Amino acid sequence: MIIRHALPRLYAPFRPYASLSSSRRAFSTTELSNGITLAYDLHEPSKDAQKQDNEDAPPILFIHGLFGSKKNNRSMSKVFARELKRPVYALDMRNHGDSSHNPTHNYSALAEDVELFIQHHNLSKPTLIGHSMGAKTVMTVALREKVPIANLIPVDNAPVDAALHGDFNKYVQGMREIEEAKCKRQTDADAILKKYEDSLAIRQFLLGCFVRSEEGTYTAKVPLKILTAALAHMADFPFKDPDQTRFEGPMLMVRGTKSHYVADEMLPTVGRFFPKFELADIDAGHWVISEQPEEFRKAVVEFLQDKD
């Protein structure tokens, strides 16, 4: 449900989208003109479900958060493809999942990757959905005005400079310790992470960033050194003055009422950058999509069906 009033702000621990899965599946890749290769899954509506008069339905790009990947959004992407009858591209951003690594990791670079992906695939006025790091990325794309965007849905992050939750620094420490310990068993790796994080679900989410080396040891799939250096950039937002640039299209800001990333005092700034924004408050912490998937689905479907 889309609501336009503020709810009391509470606090809750982080929760991941999904637990660790050892299964592998095929995915596609696109080499961009800037040298970055992005991996992605394409979820298409069934032929029977497609609207006869809407064969070229506007696509959706779904972007994960820090330490996440395209697999986090797999289930919800399938739901949106089926219910909205649109193709959904779930991306791995640079330095995440199966995409390539690069020492530059900030929102301008992430936005450029998305823009080049849209141009490469000739996607016409897509909808952009992004959580956390992905939320700031999609808002940056919209404000850069390099590609036409129909609308966007940032999830639990605001267009402001705001410090990251301190847990992210702890997560990096734990992940580095796993590599240094050369763990060969998941139980050993999990025991190390337990020193930094009590939640089993979050530990499983972080273990999803690892693969087994040829020697059988747990090795981080993500470039920990690059992402550690990028933590400060992830707290920033590249645009400072709403009077200089705005996105005049529709936007749905989804926030968890138990999270602090989109506090009430940030909403006036959101409105200056995105004057047509609507607000969906969901009873969840920062990990809105996994904590309340049905409420998130309803908010997004209601918003996008109204725009068709």
Side-chain angles (χ1 to χ4, degrees), residues 129-147:
I129 304 175
H131 171 258
S132 194
M133 178 186 79
K136 282 191 172 181
T137 298
V138 301
M139 288 187 285
T140 301
V141 171
L143 294 175
R144 278 163 57 97
E145 299 182 311
K146 304 288 186 181
V147 292

Side-chain angles (χ1 to χ4, degrees), residues 27-266:
F27 57 88
S28 302
T29 60
T30 294
E31 184 174 350
L32 306 177
S33 59
N34 63 359
I36 296 294
T37 297
L38 292 189
Y40 67 95
D41 288 334
L42 173 57
H43 305 276
E44 296 187 275
S46 66
K47 295 296 183 181
D48 293 338
Q50 290 183 17
K51 299 176 183 177
Q52 293 182 356
D53 59 348
N54 195 23
E55 293 181 358
D56 297 322
I60 295 172
L61 271 64
F62 208 155
I63 300 172
H64 59 80
L66 188 62
F67 298 126
S69 71
K70 59 186 178 299
K71 70 182 181 182
N72 301 144
N73 299 319
R74 185 176 299 156
S75 296
M76 195 61 67
S77 295
K78 292 178 179 178
V79 170
F80 290 153
R82 182 180 67 250
E83 294 196 15
L84 294 168
K85 302 174 180 61
R86 300 188 186 190
V88 180
Y89 295 80
L91 305 185
D92 276 342
M93 298 309 294
R94 64 168 65 192
N95 299 315
H96 288 78
D98 297 296
S99 291
S100 60
H101 299 172
N102 187 280
T104 301
H105 194 92
N106 55 50
Y107 289 114
S108 295
L110 294 170
E112 179 183 75
D113 293 345
V114 174
E115 293 159 0
L116 294 177
F117 185 91
I118 291 171
Q119 292 171 343
H120 180 91
H121 290 273
N122 296 313
L123 303 181
S124 178
K125 293 186 177 181
T127 291
L128 305 186
I129 304 175
H131 171 258
S132 194
M133 178 186 79
K136 282 191 172 181
T137 298
V138 301
M139 288 187 285
T140 301
V141 171
L143 294 175
R144 278 163 57 97
E145 299 182 311
K146 304 288 186 181
V147 292
I149 302 299
N151 41 60
L152 63 154
I153 304 174
V155 183
D156 213 57
N157 216 339
V160 299
D161 294 342
L164 285 179
H165 197 287
D167 287 344
F168 282 105
N169 287 297
K170 293 193 303 180
Y171 297 160
V172 170
Q173 294 176 31
M175 294 164 76
R176 282 181 162 177
E177 188 173 335
I178 289 173
E179 281 200 316
E180 292 169 358
K182 300 185 183 301
C183 296
K184 291 189 174 182
R185 299 187 305 168
Q186 182 171 323
T187 53
D188 295 334
D190 183 64
I192 290 175
L193 283 181
K194 195 171 184 179
K195 296 187 297 183
Y196 300 92
E197 175 54 58
D198 292 332
S199 168
L200 173 61
I202 296 178
R203 298 199 305 271
Q204 290 177 324
F205 168 72
L206 295 173
L207 287 173
C209 294
F210 287 84
V211 294
R212 290 187 182 276
S213 67
E214 293 182 358
E215 294 76 25
T217 60
Y218 270 63
T219 303
K221 191 176 184 179
V222 298
L224 292 176
K225 184 176 181 179
I226 292 174
L227 293 181
T228 300
L231 288 178
H233 296 302
M234 296 296 94
D236 296 336
F237 189 69
F239 293 94
K240 312 301 180 185
D241 186 359
D243 293 328
Q244 295 297 316
T245 181
R246 295 178 184 176
F247 176 70
E248 299 290 346
M251 184 180 93
L252 177 67
M253 171 68 74
V254 179
R255 68 174 179 177
T257 58
K258 299 175 184 176
S259 172
H260 70 279
Y261 278 95
V262 188
D264 290 340
E265 56 268 25
M266 299 174 184

